[in-house]
Amino acid sequence: MYIFCFVSSLRKYLKLKGCSIDVHPTERALVVQYEVEATVLGELGNPMVGERKECQKIIRLKSLNAHTDTSSLARKVVEECRLIHPSKLLEVEQLLFYLQNRKHSNDNQEKKRISPRDFTPYAGVELDEEASINSISEYVELLYEDIQEKIRGATLILQLARNPDNLEELIQNETALGALARVLREDWKQSVDLATTIIYVFFCFSSFSQFHGLVTHFKIGALCMNIIEHELKRYDLWQDELQKKKKNQNLKKEHEKSFRKYQSLLAKQEQLLRVCLCLLLNLAEDTRTELKIRNKNIVHMLVKLLDREDEELLLVALSFLKKLSIFLENKNDMAETFAVEKLARLVPCEHQELLSTALRLLLNLSFDTSLRGHMVQAGLLPKVSSLLADEAQRQLSMCILYHISVDDRFKSMFADTDCIPQLMKMVYACGEEKMDVELISLCINLAANRSNAKIICEGNGLKMLMKRALKLKDVLVMKMIRNLSQHNGPTKSLFLDHVGDLAAQISEDEAEEFVIECLGTLANLTIPDLDWALVLKEYNLVPYLKDRLKPGSAEDDLILEVVIMIGTVSMDDSCAAMLAKSGLIPALIELLNAQQEDDEFVCQIVYVFYQMVFHKATRDVIVKDTQAPAYLIDLMHDNNAEIRKVCHNTLDIIAEYDEEWGKKIQNEKFRWYNGQWLEMVENRLMDEEGEPFVFGEDRESFIGDRDILERPDLFYSADGIMSADGAISPEFYTDFPNGELGQTGYMGKPVKSDSNLLILAPSYIGHKDQSETKSSVKQSLLSPA
């Protein structure tokens, strides 16, 4: 698209390039981004001067609502906006459709989000005269007069600067801007009105990114930081002075007079602080500038301002803190200055924009675990819960509550608020529509706590959730139900009415994600009154469970839930027998081999074996017909404590029932507990070939090919101390009443044993009448390391 202009003999044309359309992030509006290329041609048509500039146009759609015909509106937009080519009609229609259906946090009030440039920090000093751009030199001259004239000159320039059309011309007048910066630097302490007015002039420039360089050039940002710091110190001095006069009864009248003066000064100070912060907030669009501001301790200053009462100042301070809070260092500074505790007094409040900004800041801070703890301690949990009733703040409130609910320490505290009843009303109100992810996520977390689960299931709560989950095949609602099913007591008993509905979902026709949650819910139902055998038969679940145990038959998550389900139903004697006869044990062993690196799989499979050997009807199948005991012995010393615990319990039952396996288990436990000693003995037997007590005359080992554990002389040394049955003779205790052997021998360290294993410590007790050679050989051979 070309636009030609003629200037004497030169020609100038503008070319529009790269037009793109997008939706406005917060308003019901379209944003048209385009680039203007300006070229001046000479008399012969050759380009002399060229310039490019990126521009944007916002098309606000005030008439757009739920009933608007987007096709007609799209045609109207394309017709009236020359920047949009007719070929983009379909794209415009799609964007309008998106805007029409986009959810807003406060659709009812149609309020847009706060932007830094939306603030009006200062009304300015009222003057009877109206400023003219042609008289700018006269206004500059006033800046060299006394304070009142300086205020008048700055106010007239401010009138011009508040009109964006004048900014381009004002920026060309470097004398005027230089004079303003000089007066501000020299006289800001003398007059709050003068300082506020001049800073507001530069704030008008800071509202446009292309003028940020100008503001930075005159170092206005650094000057604003100094002003804020100075004013905060003045405020502290005012507070101290008022407190002293208030305590002194003799100065009561003076205190009242000082308080009225203080209120007047405070109002002007807060105007000055507000305009300084607005300017800095605009400059902070550049992250490098923001870092400089942060290094000058801006976070501490802003948190200190949260004690003020002026809502407009609080709004600017909170907006600035919200912007800064996305960086770790700033978040840590806010934690140090107890920002959360100061925010607690602002939630809730009547000022909707202020409340919304405070909640957004809290949401940013709630990503930190320790700050979530501060929020709970500051009493924000019931306050934010109460805001669920406010449709304008509901979304933000739910997000904050979700973050708090992630921590198990705080889940039980929700039961003492009105949060859960509010959430359940919202769930009811959804009907068959898709539920907001924030809502169901919060419900899932809260359902993991027993007290919360009881409140959720009150009345028809569980019945309603089951109805929705099964009708809509809603996986997230099913996750919530699964969490509810894990709590023992009355809550779990409520699931008896829904076992059939859940079992009916266990089939290949249903989506795997949904089946996983149904299986997990059923696996949680360890209810004595539940007839699992009847459930398995009626819904023909055994073939499904067996088929799903094959490695690779489904996703690992589904296979794991099948194993857990088998562990639950195996608690029933008849169910265990049914599963064992179906050939399920070999399938579990095959799965154990395939998933031996996954501790969760191993632990759950071993638990199934424990349930099987627990029942008399299935014990023979496990012990005699499978190699499950051998696998359990291998896992007896696994690094995972839970696996070790279940293995030991299972092996204890097997050892008590089967003598042959009991001996193997006993030997394995002995080898494990005395592994170091056994290794030392075996090494000595191999190395010391010349010892007459190890080898016979034909150089054949006394041990031969036998297991070293079959040599009784390694465990019991008689020599007059021990009897043939291994008991220590009474004379031994007579000779050594204190259990001390002196120089002739020593007592070995006790060997760890359990109730099924009684073994004396491998040790040697020497005698004086034995030859030195024999004694030294045996001690080197048999003494523990």
Side-chain angles (χ1 to χ4, degrees), residues 545-639:
L545 297 176
K546 185 179 177 181
D547 291 343
R548 285 293 173 271
L549 288 179
K550 296 175 183 177
S553 63
E555 293 292 332
D556 283 354
D557 288 344
L558 179 57
I559 299 174
L560 179 60
E561 293 302 331
V562 168
V563 175
I564 297 172
M565 174 74 173
I566 293 170
T568 299
V569 300
S570 295
M571 296 173 67
D572 184 273
D573 197 13
S574 57
C575 281
M578 186 191 307
L579 294 172
K581 289 176 183 177
S582 69
L584 193 131
I585 305 301
L588 282 170
I589 292 175
E590 183 185 352
L591 181 62
L592 181 61
N593 284 326
Q595 299 286 356
Q596 55 187 317
E597 300 299 325
D598 191 318
D599 282 359
E600 183 65 23
F601 263 102
V602 173
C603 190
Q604 295 297 343
I605 293 171
V606 172
Y607 178 72
V608 174
F609 292 157
Y610 170 76
Q611 291 290 358
M612 291 290 185
V613 300
F614 195 80
H615 301 295
K616 189 175 181 179
T618 54
R619 195 176 298 144
D620 282 340
V621 180
I622 286 285
V623 176
K624 296 179 180 179
D625 299 342
T626 72
Q627 289 297 311
Y631 282 94
L632 292 171
I633 288 174
D634 289 341
L635 293 168
M636 190 166 55
H637 311 301
D638 193 89
N639 292 330

Side-chain angles (χ1 to χ4, degrees), residues 178-232:
L180 285 169
R182 176 188 59 78
V183 171
L184 179 63
R185 218 169 19 249
E186 294 175 356
D187 299 331
W188 67 267
K189 288 185 181 179
Q190 297 185 38
S191 171
V192 174
D193 286 335
L194 178 63
T196 306
T197 305
I198 295 176
I199 292 173
Y200 197 0
V201 172
F202 286 102
F203 164 76
C204 295
F205 284 100
S206 74
S207 297
F208 299 90
S209 301
Q210 59 264 42
F211 299 141
H212 284 186
L214 167 76
V215 181
T216 305
H217 171 72
F218 290 108
K219 299 182 178 180
I220 303 301
L223 193 54
C224 284
M225 289 298 299
N226 294 336
I227 292 172
I228 293 171
E229 186 177 8
H230 178 266
E231 292 300 326
L232 289 176

